[in-house]
Amino acid sequence: MANIQEKISKLFPQAAFAQTDVLEMTIADEQWHDLAHTLRHDPELSFDFLVTIAGVDWKENGLGCIYELVATSRNERVSVKVMATGDREKPFIHSVFDIWDIATIYEREVYDYFGIIFVNNPDMRRLFLNIDWKGYPLRKDYNDDPDINPVSIENERQTDFTDTWVEREGKIVKEERRIFQADDFVVNIGPQHPATHGVLRFRTAVDGEIIKKIDLYLGYIHRGVEKICEVDTYPQTLHFMDRLDYFSAHPYHHCLCMLYEEAMGIQISRRAQVIRVLMDELSRIASHCLFFGTYCMDLGATTMLFYTLRVREQILDIMEKTCGARMTFNYDCIGGVMQDLHPDFVKDVHALLDVLPANIKEYNKIFTGNVIARDRMENVGVLSREDAISWAVTGPNGRGSGWACDVRKTFPYSIYSELEFDEVVRSEGDAMARFKVRMDEMVQSARIIAQLIDNIPEGEYCVKVPKVVKLPAGHWFKMVEGCRGTFGIYLESDGSASPYRLKIAPPCLPAAAVVDHITCGQKIADLITIGGSMDYIVPDIDR
């Protein structure tokens, strides 16, 4: 950390620094692009993973962004704060889309909710809201009167053009550019299409059966979770984690609870930590089972769904006994978990571990070695390790491209540093590699569960916390390994009983954003293979 600060201080004397659990920098916008280039390309720094961009409205202090960065070569994280220039009508920050590929989408999200214009970003359209939406919902002065933005009962408003703000002779000017070429033949795949795995829409330019370009349309189930959290108490925000990636409900709860507990200085019991990890790993197995079943069904192997649902149902039965629910568990809470384990928990988990190896062998026998599956998946949708990092594609998708990005290993949390398990990494980067990574991860999750299931310590399942939860003023960022990749939350607190800003950084937005990059030049049929192999889930994207 000291070496980083020393190096940056010499190159950018105006930068301000603060030290929390990571090094935090504040830089003026006019120097931000140069600093970003240095952070990314200097061989001694090499912060190549842009985890998220959190827009924040600090009211009279202005609008700005927090950039969370990771150097994957040494698993080191820094945070950079950049304030927008201009006024609230036209706030500007220079884009870093040319440094990290995923920044194009992240900056569009910030623009959509805060109205911050990213200079030189080639696509400054809204990402989730209608193109004619009035106002920016995550600003503190946003007028939420429904009459201002009535629900449309006509066709969806869209355009084939986008605005971009570029610098010309020292001035920022607005230009218009086309999304597609005038003679492109564009077809819609989604939003009502079973192989898109939810209501998202690929506007796809094709030349015969060959894909030329995909324009990602989102926001069909947008619910404004981050905005709602600003008026809810801290405990009330927890249940939203079930509504994002409902297969990763336990890991997402785990992340938010750890964030609050760290801010409050609460140490939970060993029993609660073990229970949380057990639930996380059971969720991972159940999630991967559903992936195998639905993905194989996308490719025409309908039978596989019924094989994989057996294990998933067995896990949901275990969850239901303890949590009282099969999907929206709402089990982790501040201080531990909501209630203790069901008396049958240990017995039922042992029954699962007894049948799982045979089931995995069965899955591989039915599908993995099938000649049709191999023809459709091998060398299809190849994503290089460098592109996976630049597009922030984490989880099994990133590890299928050779990127060891498992947060349980890179930034260990809870008791994961004490457990023996292997990080599954493959180098092929294709759809088959992503499939096989998930298959092998089930084995590793079972290995973790086996280490814990007969060693659940006695003790309280939830420690006492104040009846009214108030966090001290400050900001925190926490990451966990969800079932689909790195899940992060940035929290800004003003000392009240509600979050001032709660930014959710999900793994599925990058997974969907990269589809255009890895399908260009492929056939339409390959889009189904590639999209399914990314295993994104739309509620996680739209939030």
mmCIF file of all heavy atoms in Angstrom, residues 445-460:
data_model
loop_
_atom_site.group_PDB
_atom_site.id
_atom_site.type_symbol
_atom_site.label_atom_id
_atom_site.label_comp_id
_atom_site.label_asym_id
_atom_site.label_seq_id
_atom_site.Cartn_x
_atom_site.Cartn_y
_atom_site.Cartn_z
ATOM 1 N N SER A 445 -17.610 -28.029 -3.473
ATOM 2 C CA SER A 445 -18.593 -27.595 -2.474
ATOM 3 C C SER A 445 -18.952 -28.738 -1.540
ATOM 4 O O SER A 445 -19.085 -28.554 -0.322
ATOM 5 C CB SER A 445 -19.844 -27.044 -3.165
ATOM 6 O OG SER A 445 -19.582 -25.814 -3.795
ATOM 7 N N ALA A 446 -19.125 -29.932 -2.111
ATOM 8 C CA ALA A 446 -19.414 -31.105 -1.278
ATOM 9 C C ALA A 446 -18.253 -31.391 -0.328
ATOM 10 O O ALA A 446 -18.451 -31.803 0.825
ATOM 11 C CB ALA A 446 -19.681 -32.316 -2.169
ATOM 12 N N ARG A 447 -17.038 -31.136 -0.801
ATOM 13 C CA ARG A 447 -15.847 -31.334 0.029
ATOM 14 C C ARG A 447 -15.852 -30.360 1.214
ATOM 15 O O ARG A 447 -15.520 -30.742 2.350
ATOM 16 C CB ARG A 447 -14.612 -31.122 -0.848
ATOM 17 C CG ARG A 447 -13.292 -31.415 -0.196
ATOM 18 C CD ARG A 447 -12.182 -31.209 -1.218
ATOM 19 N NE ARG A 447 -10.864 -31.180 -0.607
ATOM 20 C CZ ARG A 447 -9.780 -30.773 -1.240
ATOM 21 N NH1 ARG A 447 -9.859 -30.358 -2.505
ATOM 22 N NH2 ARG A 447 -8.613 -30.773 -0.613
ATOM 23 N N ILE A 448 -16.240 -29.128 0.987
ATOM 24 C CA ILE A 448 -16.336 -28.139 2.068
ATOM 25 C C ILE A 448 -17.398 -28.554 3.077
ATOM 26 O O ILE A 448 -17.177 -28.519 4.302
ATOM 27 C CB ILE A 448 -16.660 -26.752 1.489
ATOM 28 C CG1 ILE A 448 -15.470 -26.208 0.691
ATOM 29 C CG2 ILE A 448 -17.039 -25.774 2.604
ATOM 30 C CD1 ILE A 448 -15.772 -24.943 -0.086
ATOM 31 N N ILE A 449 -18.558 -28.954 2.556
ATOM 32 C CA ILE A 449 -19.661 -29.356 3.427
ATOM 33 C C ILE A 449 -19.257 -30.555 4.299
ATOM 34 O O ILE A 449 -19.559 -30.610 5.498
ATOM 35 C CB ILE A 449 -20.919 -29.665 2.591
ATOM 36 C CG1 ILE A 449 -21.437 -28.385 1.923
ATOM 37 C CG2 ILE A 449 -22.004 -30.298 3.451
ATOM 38 C CD1 ILE A 449 -22.496 -28.638 0.852
ATOM 39 N N ALA A 450 -18.550 -31.505 3.689
ATOM 40 C CA ALA A 450 -18.139 -32.706 4.428
ATOM 41 C C ALA A 450 -17.211 -32.358 5.592
ATOM 42 O O ALA A 450 -17.227 -33.029 6.638
ATOM 43 C CB ALA A 450 -17.459 -33.683 3.473
ATOM 44 N N GLN A 451 -16.393 -31.326 5.436
ATOM 45 C CA GLN A 451 -15.486 -30.911 6.517
ATOM 46 C C GLN A 451 -16.232 -30.282 7.687
ATOM 47 O O GLN A 451 -15.741 -30.288 8.817
ATOM 48 C CB GLN A 451 -14.463 -29.904 5.976
ATOM 49 C CG GLN A 451 -13.476 -30.474 4.975
ATOM 50 C CD GLN A 451 -12.612 -29.397 4.342
ATOM 51 O OE1 GLN A 451 -11.918 -28.656 5.038
ATOM 52 N NE2 GLN A 451 -12.657 -29.291 3.018
ATOM 53 N N LEU A 452 -17.410 -29.726 7.412
ATOM 54 C CA LEU A 452 -18.111 -28.956 8.439
ATOM 55 C C LEU A 452 -19.296 -29.682 9.068
ATOM 56 O O LEU A 452 -19.646 -29.402 10.226
ATOM 57 C CB LEU A 452 -18.621 -27.642 7.825
ATOM 58 C CG LEU A 452 -17.555 -26.651 7.342
ATOM 59 C CD1 LEU A 452 -18.221 -25.456 6.666
ATOM 60 C CD2 LEU A 452 -16.672 -26.186 8.491
ATOM 61 N N ILE A 453 -19.903 -30.582 8.331
ATOM 62 C CA ILE A 453 -21.212 -31.074 8.753
ATOM 63 C C ILE A 453 -21.164 -31.826 10.086
ATOM 64 O O ILE A 453 -22.126 -31.782 10.870
ATOM 65 C CB ILE A 453 -21.840 -31.960 7.645
ATOM 66 C CG1 ILE A 453 -23.307 -32.222 7.955
ATOM 67 C CG2 ILE A 453 -21.060 -33.241 7.443
ATOM 68 C CD1 ILE A 453 -24.164 -30.977 8.030
ATOM 69 N N ASP A 454 -20.057 -32.497 10.395
ATOM 70 C CA ASP A 454 -19.945 -33.193 11.688
ATOM 71 C C ASP A 454 -19.168 -32.372 12.709
ATOM 72 O O ASP A 454 -18.821 -32.885 13.780
ATOM 73 C CB ASP A 454 -19.262 -34.552 11.486
ATOM 74 C CG ASP A 454 -20.148 -35.529 10.734
ATOM 75 O OD1 ASP A 454 -21.377 -35.480 10.940
ATOM 76 O OD2 ASP A 454 -19.611 -36.299 9.922
ATOM 77 N N ASN A 455 -18.884 -31.117 12.364
ATOM 78 C CA ASN A 455 -18.098 -30.263 13.264
ATOM 79 C C ASN A 455 -18.778 -28.907 13.475
ATOM 80 O O ASN A 455 -18.100 -27.885 13.588
ATOM 81 C CB ASN A 455 -16.696 -30.050 12.678
ATOM 82 C CG ASN A 455 -15.908 -31.344 12.590
ATOM 83 O OD1 ASN A 455 -15.546 -31.941 13.602
ATOM 84 N ND2 ASN A 455 -15.652 -31.796 11.369
ATOM 85 N N ILE A 456 -20.107 -28.922 13.520
ATOM 86 C CA ILE A 456 -20.844 -27.686 13.788
ATOM 87 C C ILE A 456 -20.755 -27.411 15.289
ATOM 88 O O ILE A 456 -21.251 -28.188 16.103
ATOM 89 C CB ILE A 456 -22.316 -27.801 13.356
ATOM 90 C CG1 ILE A 456 -22.411 -28.171 11.876
ATOM 91 C CG2 ILE A 456 -23.053 -26.491 13.633
ATOM 92 C CD1 ILE A 456 -23.823 -28.456 11.402
ATOM 93 N N PRO A 457 -20.095 -26.328 15.687
ATOM 94 C CA PRO A 457 -19.880 -26.097 17.126
ATOM 95 C C PRO A 457 -21.168 -25.703 17.842
ATOM 96 O O PRO A 457 -22.125 -25.228 17.223
ATOM 97 C CB PRO A 457 -18.874 -24.948 17.132
ATOM 98 C CG PRO A 457 -19.107 -24.224 15.850
ATOM 99 C CD PRO A 457 -19.516 -25.261 14.845
ATOM 100 N N GLU A 458 -21.164 -25.912 19.124
ATOM 101 C CA GLU A 458 -22.263 -25.429 19.948
ATOM 102 C C GLU A 458 -22.133 -23.915 20.099
ATOM 103 O O GLU A 458 -21.109 -23.323 19.793
ATOM 104 C CB GLU A 458 -22.230 -26.097 21.329
ATOM 105 C CG GLU A 458 -22.440 -27.603 21.295
ATOM 106 C CD GLU A 458 -23.813 -27.981 20.762
ATOM 107 O OE1 GLU A 458 -24.793 -27.234 21.041
ATOM 108 O OE2 GLU A 458 -23.919 -29.003 20.056
ATOM 109 N N GLY A 459 -23.182 -23.299 20.603
ATOM 110 C CA GLY A 459 -23.154 -21.857 20.804
ATOM 111 C C GLY A 459 -24.418 -21.203 20.275
ATOM 112 O O GLY A 459 -25.320 -21.866 19.756
ATOM 113 N N GLU A 460 -24.477 -19.897 20.394
ATOM 114 C CA GLU A 460 -25.668 -19.181 19.960
ATOM 115 C C GLU A 460 -25.628 -18.998 18.438
ATOM 116 O O GLU A 460 -24.577 -18.810 17.846
ATOM 117 C CB GLU A 460 -25.773 -17.827 20.668
ATOM 118 C CG GLU A 460 -24.522 -16.961 20.581
ATOM 119 C CD GLU A 460 -24.603 -15.752 21.493
ATOM 120 O OE1 GLU A 460 -25.674 -15.500 22.058
ATOM 121 O OE2 GLU A 460 -23.581 -15.055 21.639
#
